[in-house]
C-alpha cells in the first residue's frame, strides 16, 4: 500500500464519511474499495465493494475512521475527484464527482474520459 501524492488526491466528503460510518461492513473495520473497469454505457464504470485487505498496489484515503482504497490502475481515472453522498427525491447514493470524466450516463455509474 502506498500513500497518495498531490497528483493523486481523492477526497471523502464529510457526508460520505458519515454515511459510510453507518454501514455494518465499515463498522466492522472493512474499507470501501473503488475500482474503475471498462464497460457501462459510457465506456468506464465504477465498481464499489468492501474489503478487509489492502493490496501492495492500493492507495488508501481516510476521513476519520472511514477508509477508501483505490488501486493504482484505477486511480488516474478518479484522481482529484471526491466521494460524496447525495440524498435526492428518487433516493440516496454514494457518488463520485470526477473532474476527469468528460461525460456520463444517467445512472452516474458510467463515464467517459475522452
Amino acid at each position: 500500500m502506498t500513500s497518495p501524492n498531490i497528483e493523486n488526491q481523492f477526497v471523502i466528503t464529510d457526508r460520505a464519511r458519515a454515511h459510510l460510518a453507518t454501514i455494518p461492513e465499515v463498522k466492522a473495520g472493512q474499507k470501501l474499495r473503488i475500482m474503475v473497469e471498462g464497460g457501462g454505457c459510457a465506456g468506464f464504470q465504477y465498481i464499489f465493494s468492501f474489503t478487509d485487505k489492502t493490496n501492495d498496489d492500493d492507495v488508501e484515503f481516510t476521513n476519520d475512521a472511514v477508509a477508501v482504497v483505490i488501486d493504482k490502475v484505477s486511480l488516474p481515472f478518479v484522481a482529484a475527484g471526491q466521494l460524496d453522498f447525495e440524498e435526492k427525491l428518487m433516493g440516496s447514493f454514494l457518488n463520485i464527482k470526477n473532474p476527469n470524466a468528460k461525460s456520463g450516463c444517467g445512472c452516474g455509474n458510467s463515464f467517459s474520459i475522452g
Side-chain angles (χ1 to χ4, degrees):
M1 180 187 69
T2 60
S3 298
N5 59 33
I6 195 70
E7 295 84 32
N8 292 328
Q9 289 299 311
F10 187 80
V11 173
I12 305 165
T13 67
D14 289 339
R15 286 187 304 262
R17 179 202 44 79
H19 173 71
L20 285 169
T22 67
I23 296 174
E25 290 86 352
V26 174
K27 287 182 178 182
Q30 292 195 29
K31 302 169 186 181
L32 176 67
R33 176 173 296 283
I34 299 173
M35 295 175 59
V36 174
E37 293 183 348
C41 53
F44 294 97
Q45 61 187 346
Y46 303 112
I47 306 296
F48 295 97
S49 63
F50 291 100
T51 185
D52 55 3
K53 295 180 182 179
T54 304
N55 302 322
D56 289 340
D57 69 336
D58 286 336
V59 179
E60 184 171 318
F61 302 89
T62 59
N63 182 334
D64 293 333
V66 172
V68 171
V69 292
I70 304 172
D71 64 89
K72 288 183 180 177
V73 172
S74 299
L75 187 56
F77 293 99
V78 296
Q82 63 178 267
L83 179 67
D84 198 13
F85 179 69
E86 296 187 27
E87 294 182 272
K88 297 190 175 191
L89 184 60
M90 296 301 291
S92 57
F93 54 91
L94 288 168
N95 181 33
I96 295 180
K97 295 182 179 176
N98 187 350
N100 304 301
K102 300 300 179 207
S103 65
C105 65
C107 70
N109 284 332
S110 182
F111 66 99
S112 68
I113 58 169

